Amino acid sequence: MSRITLPLAVFAFSLHLLPGQSGPRALTFDDLIGLDAVSDPRISPDGSQVAFVVTDYSLEENRGDSDIWLVPLQGGEARRLTRSPAGDSQPRWSPDGKRLAFVSSRGGAPRIHLIDPGGGEARAVSPEIAGGIANLGFSPDGRWLHYSSDIRWPAPEGEPDPFPTEARIWDELFYRHWDSWRAGTRSHLFVMPAGGGEPRDLSPHDQDAPTLALGGYSDVAFSPDSKHVAVVINPEPVPAVGTNNDIFLIGLEDGSRTNLTSANPANDNNPAFSPDGKHLAYRAQLRAGFEADRYHLMLLDLASGQRRDLTAEWTLSVGEFAWAPDGQSLYALVQERTRNAVYRVRVADREWEKIDATAHNGTLRIAPDGRSLVLTRESTVRPDELFRLDLEGGEITRLTRINDEKLAGIAMNPAEAFEFTGALGQRVQGMLIKPPFFDASRRYPLLYLIHGGPQGAWNDSFHPRWNYQMFAAPGYVVAMVNFHGSTGYGQKFTDSISRHWGDYPYEDLMKGLDHVLANYSFVDPERIGAAGASYGGYMINWIATQTDRFDVLVNHDGLFNLESFYGSTEELWFPEWEFGGTPWSSRELYEKWSPHLYADRLTTPMLVIHGQLDYRVDVSQGLDVFTALRRQGVPARFVYFPDEGHWVLRPRNRRLWWREVLGWLGQYLEPRSGN
């Protein structure tokens, strides 16, 4: 048996009680929705403070409300800079540090605002932008602001139709994406004077700029001389069938366009100019059509056109990265097993060094003096907070404590890692979380969670929706396995799921279940449930047709009929890669791994959840499996959200989601009685 408690020292906190409480309590939905989300840190140009966003959620308003906060980089009390019920986001420092730009809908549609970081009233500097505002930023000389926004395309001509309808008309693919219609809509890049003025479209073409899909963490970047903007665009005539994003250099004055990465037929994104402007760093995948290929960290000499792969020998994928101020190295987040580690890569010789792997790091920012990083860090027992990582000594200092009071008195157990031999004779990792108030002498029902992607992973994180602690709170042992296809274990491991949806991952999950039952005596083998979303929902459907080991199942947005899935999804490169082509050119694989062809084997009670606005996995997939279940007399329940897409985001819907999921599981597993 291999059992390891994940080291979570930097997140350790005392379980103290609030006034009037008699003891610790299990996490509830009210606790979960009451936690604030910390995101988008931005360090001031003088390195003295960090602007960041705090979002709180309201059941009464049925939405989140974001405000801008500030905290000293060297530590100290955080203070709220803005307070608006309309929501404030995307804080961006002017190069001189005297102004902070942000986006707010106060007064109507979104507008760009400026505020003195010392306080005072914000003022709007842009017109109302009905298409929303993303990718906000200043030019290095402080003269310009850039942003992207959705516009109607082509622009309507003539007088408005006096008898408009809600009909949509399209001629090409990619007419919708995730949860929004894209027919007649394009995302374009704009610049405007930083002090206010008329926006100018820098990308007046029939393309999304920046790209609609498979973009990076930041796909718009000004050159240090403020004369050019790098932006990620898919240049293909049918973007729905390919992953060929390229980085274009657009002249600010003349509108010139140069494709810097045309030689690579796969995905290039995340452009970042070196401090001296001589090089462009970016991420590149090397296999066209595969969205889960490993990201390489590339360096382009802008004068000579020479390219260097800084991570050619790596097996892991590069995530968010940033230049050191001296231009001699880059810092990058790299998913490594269940965490994001911080690496430093030297430009001159490609030598790399692991800086930190003690937590699940995110949102990397480097201080202007190059001596420290600001990161968000989370774990299975704590949502994101801001931390400073000193690069010389490796010391980690916590900067914010936004949720400490709300977490006080809530009993949660950290994740324990386990390993076993899975498919192909390879080692596979899983995580297990014990319920609050755990008693080793008792037996608990097991809830088996299955991640989506399928090229994704369960991480040492505080998931905002599929929260491990919420599943454990009623009295479940929660187990998760990062099966073949998961990220963070090398590209070969990730590749292995393609064309093998139903064998290697399924074998891992069954062997992982065997391992848990054999090595954790407090798990009751007579009470086992499983739940998953997206590919995880597919696997729930596959499990339902392949085994009767489970007492109850939960399927959120799961694929059931792979052939009809192909015809109703939007990113067609995904099924064409995963199943080797279209349903008419690769019928054998679509049929081999499609659960609907084995529907006569369905016997396990299943909760089916789906959103009408889910354009990745159409709602018909959920209707199909529900019909097959009930037609054969198998207990089933359908939870339908007309206003949600692939994820359940609205607070009231999330509340209902948890009530239905935990209620359904409780009918068959009885977590509180008989333990």
Side-chain angles (χ1 to χ4, degrees):
M1 176 179 65
S2 174
R3 188 182 306 169
I4 309 162
T5 300
L6 296 173
L8 299 167
V10 294
F11 296 101
F13 63 96
S14 298
L15 190 63
H16 57 281
L17 305 178
L18 296 176
Q21 286 186 321
S22 58
R25 67 183 189 279
L27 186 71
T28 67
F29 177 77
D30 287 343
D31 294 321
L32 182 66
I33 201 67
L35 295 173
D36 294 333
V38 175
S39 63
D40 202 8
R42 302 283 169 164
I43 305 174
S44 62
D46 65 1
S48 65
Q49 52 188 336
V50 184
F52 62 101
V53 177
V54 176
T55 304
D56 65 89
Y57 298 91
S58 167
L59 284 170
E60 290 75 17
E61 299 291 333
N62 199 26
R63 65 181 182 88
D65 178 30
S66 300
D67 289 302
I68 312 299
W69 288 58
L70 295 171
V71 67
L73 181 61
Q74 296 306 313
E77 185 175 353
R79 65 181 177 92
R80 189 195 303 258
L81 178 63
T82 70
R83 189 187 299 268
S84 169
D88 304 325
S89 62
Q90 299 184 61
R92 303 293 184 265
W93 294 94
S94 63
D96 61 8
K98 295 180 179 180
R99 298 168 295 172
L100 200 64
F102 65 95
V103 176
S104 180
S105 297
R106 53 184 77 183
R111 302 174 77 179
I112 301 172
H113 293 70
L114 293 178
I115 192 171
D116 185 328
E121 291 297 319
R123 67 181 181 93
V125 295
S126 77
E128 291 190 347
I129 302 173
I133 301 172
N135 297 292
L136 179 64
F138 275 97
S139 62
D141 63 8
R143 294 179 55 204
W144 305 97
L145 286 164
H146 66 67
Y147 68 91
S148 61
S149 181
D150 282 350
I151 63 171
R152 291 185 64 182
W153 187 271
E157 297 180 358
E159 296 294 326
D161 189 336
F163 305 107
T165 76
E166 294 297 316
R168 300 180 186 274
I169 303 170
W170 61 88
D171 301 292
E172 300 293 344
L173 295 172
F174 241 14
Y175 50 88
R176 58 182 188 172
H177 190 241
W178 280 117
D179 61 356
S180 65
W181 284 91
R182 304 303 301 178
T185 300
R186 294 290 181 271
S187 174
H188 277 195
L189 180 64
F190 295 84
V191 293
M192 59 169 286
E198 192 65 24
R200 176 162 54 96
D201 192 342
L202 276 187
S203 52
H205 303 276
D206 187 13
Q207 295 171 319
D208 288 294
T211 185
L212 183 62
L214 303 183
Y217 296 90
S218 178
D219 285 332
V220 180
F222 253 107
S223 61
D225 62 7
S226 299
K227 294 182 179 180
H228 295 86
V229 177
V231 59
V232 177
I233 300 172
N234 187 323
E236 299 298 327
V238 186
V241 298
T243 62
N244 185 26
N245 287 329
D246 283 324
I247 299 172
F248 284 75
L249 195 65
I250 300 178
L252 192 63
E253 296 299 330
D254 60 8
S256 60
R257 285 163 50 108
T258 303
N259 189 338
L260 299 177
T261 61
S262 58
N264 181 23
N267 188 11
D268 303 294
N269 61 32
N270 245 106
F273 288 93
S274 61
D276 62 8
K278 295 180 179 180
H279 294 88
L280 186 77
Y282 63 97
R283 300 191 311 166
Q285 295 176 324
L286 303 184
R287 287 181 285 178
F290 186 27
E291 67 173 45
D293 195 18
R294 178 169 76 88
Y295 274 112
H296 298 240
L297 183 57
M298 307 295 292
L299 192 66
L300 171 64
D301 186 310
L302 291 168
S304 68
Q306 180 182 0
R307 279 167 229 283
R308 297 171 58 210
D309 187 344
L310 300 181
T311 58
E313 293 79 23
W314 290 28
T315 61
L316 297 174
S317 192
V318 173
E320 189 170 357
F321 68 88
W323 280 95
D326 63 6
Q328 300 302 305
S329 58
L330 295 114
Y331 292 88
L333 295 177
V334 178
Q335 186 187 356
E336 200 167 43
R337 298 174 75 82
T338 60
R339 292 185 175 148
N340 280 339
V342 180
Y343 279 79
R344 176 167 48 213
V345 184
R346 290 203 309 235
V347 171
D349 56 11
R350 301 190 307 169
E351 289 295 317
W352 57 268
E353 176 187 4
K354 188 186 298 187
I355 303 298
D356 177 76
T358 61
H360 192 62
N361 296 295
T363 320
L364 179 151
R365 305 283 186 259
I366 187 163
D369 62 8
R371 296 180 179 178
S372 61
L373 301 175
V374 169
L375 303 154
T376 57
R377 290 162 71 91
E378 61 179 317
S379 77
T380 56
V381 297
R382 181 178 297 281
D384 272 327
E385 297 281 0
L386 297 188
F387 288 76
R388 186 186 73 245
L389 171 60
D390 293 322
L391 294 171
E392 292 183 3
E395 181 182 358
I396 297 171
T397 302
R398 186 171 173 184
L399 298 179
T400 63
R401 298 181 178 275
I402 300 298
N403 287 301
D404 273 17
E405 185 175 348
K406 295 179 179 181
L407 289 171
I410 297 177
M412 295 184 284
N413 290 309
E416 300 178 16
F418 61 86
E419 289 189 359
F420 59 94
T421 300
L424 304 174
Q426 296 173 342
R427 300 295 284 174
V428 175
Q429 185 185 33
M431 294 192 297
L432 182 140
I433 296 176
K434 297 169 182 173
F437 322 112
F438 174 75
D439 181 349
S441 67
R442 303 171 68 180
R443 281 198 158 188
Y444 296 88
L446 175 70
L447 181 59
Y448 211 33
L449 298 184
I450 304 172
H451 72 68
Q455 293 89 357
W458 295 119
N459 292 315
D460 182 16
S461 62
F462 200 84
H463 201 291
R465 297 181 309 279
W466 281 66
N467 186 272
Y468 316 145
Q469 302 295 344
M470 275 292 294
F471 283 115
Y476 295 114
V477 171
V478 176
M480 300 159 279
V481 166
N482 283 335
F483 46 78
H484 277 78
S486 300
T487 54
Y489 300 87
Q491 189 59 42
K492 186 176 181 180
F493 193 85
T494 301
D495 288 348
S496 62
I497 194 173
S498 298
R499 308 191 187 190
H500 289 276
W501 272 37
D503 53 6
Y504 301 155
Y506 177 75
E507 183 179 347
D508 288 342
L509 288 165
M510 294 303 103
K511 289 182 175 178
L513 180 58
D514 292 340
H515 176 90
V516 169
L517 295 177
N519 290 280
Y520 296 93
S521 60
F522 48 79
V523 172
D524 186 348
E526 301 301 320
R527 290 182 294 166
I528 305 174
S534 195
Y535 173 85
Y538 161 85
M539 182 51 69
I540 291 295
N541 288 330
W542 188 249
I543 283 172
T545 63
Q546 304 299 311
T547 182
D548 60 0
R549 296 187 68 177
F550 296 88
D551 300 287
V552 61
L553 299 169
V554 176
N555 161 21
H556 180 117
D557 292 351
L559 293 74
F560 185 61
N561 182 329
L562 295 183
E563 185 170 352
S564 63
F565 162 74
Y566 177 87
S568 58
T569 194
E570 9 81 288
E571 294 182 349
L572 296 180
W573 64 77
F574 175 74
E576 290 184 15
W577 181 277
E578 292 302 303
F579 305 113
T582 65
W584 52 90
S585 67
S586 186
R587 183 172 301 278
E588 181 181 356
L589 277 180
Y590 281 86
E591 292 181 347
K592 182 177 183 180
W593 302 130
S594 190
H596 87 286
L597 294 176
Y598 308 92
D600 60 317
R601 304 177 186 176
L602 292 168
T603 59
T604 306
M606 184 187 297
L607 176 66
V608 183
I609 308 169
H610 225 107
Q612 181 65 49
L613 305 181
D614 185 356
Y615 304 145
R616 178 57 43 84
V617 181
D618 190 77
V619 65
S620 59
Q621 297 289 311
L623 298 173
D624 280 358
V625 67
F626 178 78
T627 298
L629 287 159
R630 293 304 298 132
R631 184 66 179 83
Q632 297 176 92
V634 181
R637 186 178 180 90
F638 199 107
V639 178
Y640 168 77
F641 292 106
D643 54 350
E644 297 285 4
H646 202 59
W647 308 281
V648 176
L649 301 178
R650 299 172 187 265
R652 293 181 187 177
N653 288 341
R654 289 170 63 184
R655 179 175 178 266
L656 175 67
W657 190 94
W658 279 110
R659 187 182 74 190
E660 290 293 327
V661 168
L662 295 181
W664 180 259
L665 293 170
Q667 288 185 53
Y668 298 92
L669 302 182
E670 301 178 359
R672 293 199 181 278
S673 61
N675 289 338

